[in-house]
Amino acid sequence: MARIKGALIGCGFFAINQMHGWRELPEVEIVAICDRDPERLKIVGDQFDVARRYLSADEMFAEGEFDFVDIATTVGSHRPLVELAARHKVPAICQKPFAPTLEDAKAMVAAAEEAGVALMIHENFRWQTPMLAVKEVIDSGEIGTPFWARVSFRSGFDVFSGQPYLAKGKRFIIEDLGIHSLDIARFLFGDARSLSARTGRINPDIAGEDVATMMLGHDNGVTSIVDVSYATKLPQEPFPQTLIEVDGTKGTLRLGLGYKLTVHGPAGTIERDVAPNLLPWASKPWHNIQESVALIQRHWIERLGSGREPDTSGRDNLKTFALVEAAYLSAKREETIVVGDLLR
């Protein structure tokens, strides 16, 4: 089998996980890396034995000879890099958040579609082993038809030490973390037609919001609460676990701390462990996120090989991005937002 050659742009904090994930796939080889910081470029290049190293993405694309590009940079550079990939007819993975604005995201999707190349957003939270287990129970009908749910991520973990830029943006938790939680809600319960939100800033040393509570009205009648916080001090730090509650017409589902999944239905109550695998290169408590990186990358390679659209394609992610925009708009206006209006 011919190896699939990839390139990576951005050698920062999270990109190390992506490089480990690519190395786990025997059919994939990352042949080129790019970063504006020579020191980061050297660290990643040496660690993963990548000879081709570039300070300029234009130069990397000009030399080419790779089958896809993984864009692991911050949001401001996403549109020019995705459009650069499209001009060179190279399929692209783009880190979340997709773009600075919904209009930018729409333009990126249009550029990829016009070029006839695949575009996937690295929306990996739905690929966590616990989330896949929750989805399997819901789809099985074991708890009947869901009518109410909660997707909750509440933590006091210091995310700023590893990613100091997060403290500087006027938008923080919804754009950085809430986007994952909103995508999980879409993954589990379908698209949402309406959203209302309240936000707050508890930490005085950051510029953006660090708590948010959002209520979604899904197309299929489910009401879900999506709540996120980096200001919640708990006796047992849950980071980076997402907790799930689902009420259905025949029973209930609860994903609690320690990856314990409890399903109560007509046949009784069953509790099982749905903990993620600790990959050889991973470390706790990050292993849940790290495994999901490897899983979404495998999905990308499978879909790239078959020519099918990835589950978290650019076009699909527009719907998640619209929920983010709706949340900020709702919090600002103190009113419910019709999500579909933002996608027109």
Side-chain angles (χ1 to χ4, degrees):
M1 179 186 295
R3 301 197 81 182
I4 300 169
K5 296 179 181 180
L8 175 83
I9 305 177
C11 297
F13 171 79
F14 200 76
I16 300 298
N17 295 313
Q18 276 141 272
M19 288 298 289
H20 276 296
W22 292 128
R23 192 159 64 177
E24 277 212 337
L25 295 171
E27 67 271 39
V28 176
E29 179 185 5
I30 299 300
V31 297
I33 56 174
C34 176
D35 196 287
R36 291 180 298 182
D37 185 330
E39 184 179 352
R40 294 198 308 192
L41 196 61
K42 184 180 187 310
I43 290 170
V44 173
D46 289 353
Q47 182 178 353
F48 295 95
D49 194 26
V50 182
R52 291 175 56 189
R53 307 173 189 183
Y54 301 87
L55 296 173
S56 162
D58 286 294
E59 183 182 347
M60 187 182 77
F61 274 99
E63 296 192 6
E65 297 188 7
F66 46 86
D67 304 306
F68 73 90
V69 64
D70 186 356
I71 300 168
T73 58
T74 51
V75 66
S77 62
H78 287 176
R79 180 173 177 178
L81 289 174
V82 166
E83 290 179 340
L84 178 63
R87 287 197 298 273
H88 286 270
K89 308 292 186 182
V90 175
I93 305 169
C94 183
Q95 188 57 254
K96 65 84 205 168
F98 194 176
T101 70
L102 190 55
E103 292 309 308
D104 284 316
K106 290 176 181 178
M108 292 156 69
V109 169
E113 290 182 348
E114 185 177 346
V117 295
L119 172 62
M120 184 181 82
I121 308 308
H122 193 103
E123 183 48 74
N124 57 298
F125 268 45
R126 67 162 71 183
W127 288 96
Q128 294 174 16
T129 292
M131 297 306 119
L132 296 175
V134 169
K135 176 69 168 173
E136 184 179 6
V137 171
I138 292 172
D139 289 349
S140 74
E142 195 171 347
I143 63 169
T145 303
F147 59 85
W148 179 90
R150 182 184 181 194
V151 178
S152 182
F153 190 112
R154 310 193 70 80
S155 169
F157 188 83
D158 177 16
V159 293
F160 308 109
S161 58
Q163 298 168 283
Y165 64 89
L166 293 176
K168 300 175 182 178
K170 292 183 179 179
R171 292 182 171 192
F172 169 44
I173 200 166
I174 298 176
E175 185 176 82
D176 182 66
L177 171 66
I179 192 169
H180 287 310
S181 303
L182 290 165
D183 190 71
I184 286 173
R186 281 191 60 231
F187 173 59
L188 296 178
F189 314 114
D191 291 329
R193 64 180 63 178
S194 64
L195 184 148
S196 58
R198 292 192 67 180
T199 62
R201 179 168 62 90
I202 309 304
N203 184 345
D205 298 324
I206 66 173
E209 81 290 348
D210 53 2
V211 296
T213 302
M214 297 158 277
M215 184 172 75
L216 284 64
H218 293 265
D219 293 349
N220 57 11
V222 176
T223 297
S224 70
I225 305 298
V226 176
D227 61 280
V228 289
S229 169
Y230 271 127
T232 300
K233 312 300 182 185
L234 294 164
Q236 182 181 354
E237 175 54 62
F239 182 89
Q241 297 178 50
T242 299
L243 308 184
I244 306 287
E245 302 175 44
V246 186
D247 291 359
T249 53
K250 295 182 181 179
T252 57
L253 174 156
R254 298 292 185 266
L255 175 63
L257 282 176
Y259 305 108
K260 300 301 181 186
L261 179 62
T262 303
V263 179
H264 176 72
T269 305
I270 297 175
E271 183 178 284
R272 60 189 176 103
D273 185 351
V274 292
N277 296 303
L278 180 61
L279 300 175
W281 51 269
S283 59
K284 293 182 177 181
W286 294 93
H287 63 304
N288 185 29
I289 309 298
Q290 291 165 321
E291 186 196 24
S292 71
V293 169
L295 290 173
I296 194 173
Q297 289 174 330
R298 180 172 295 282
H299 173 72
W300 165 256
I301 293 301
E302 289 172 351
R303 291 299 172 90
L304 201 60
S306 66
R308 297 170 59 204
E309 184 176 303
D311 287 354
T312 57
S313 67
R315 180 155 296 282
D316 177 84
N317 196 257
L318 288 177
K319 298 176 183 179
T320 295
F321 198 96
L323 295 179
V324 172
E325 293 296 298
Y328 282 114
L329 198 59
S330 174
K332 180 180 179 180
R333 294 181 180 176
E334 296 188 342
E335 63 182 41
T336 299
I337 303 299
V338 178
V339 179
D341 291 347
L342 302 178
L343 290 169
R344 293 193 178 94

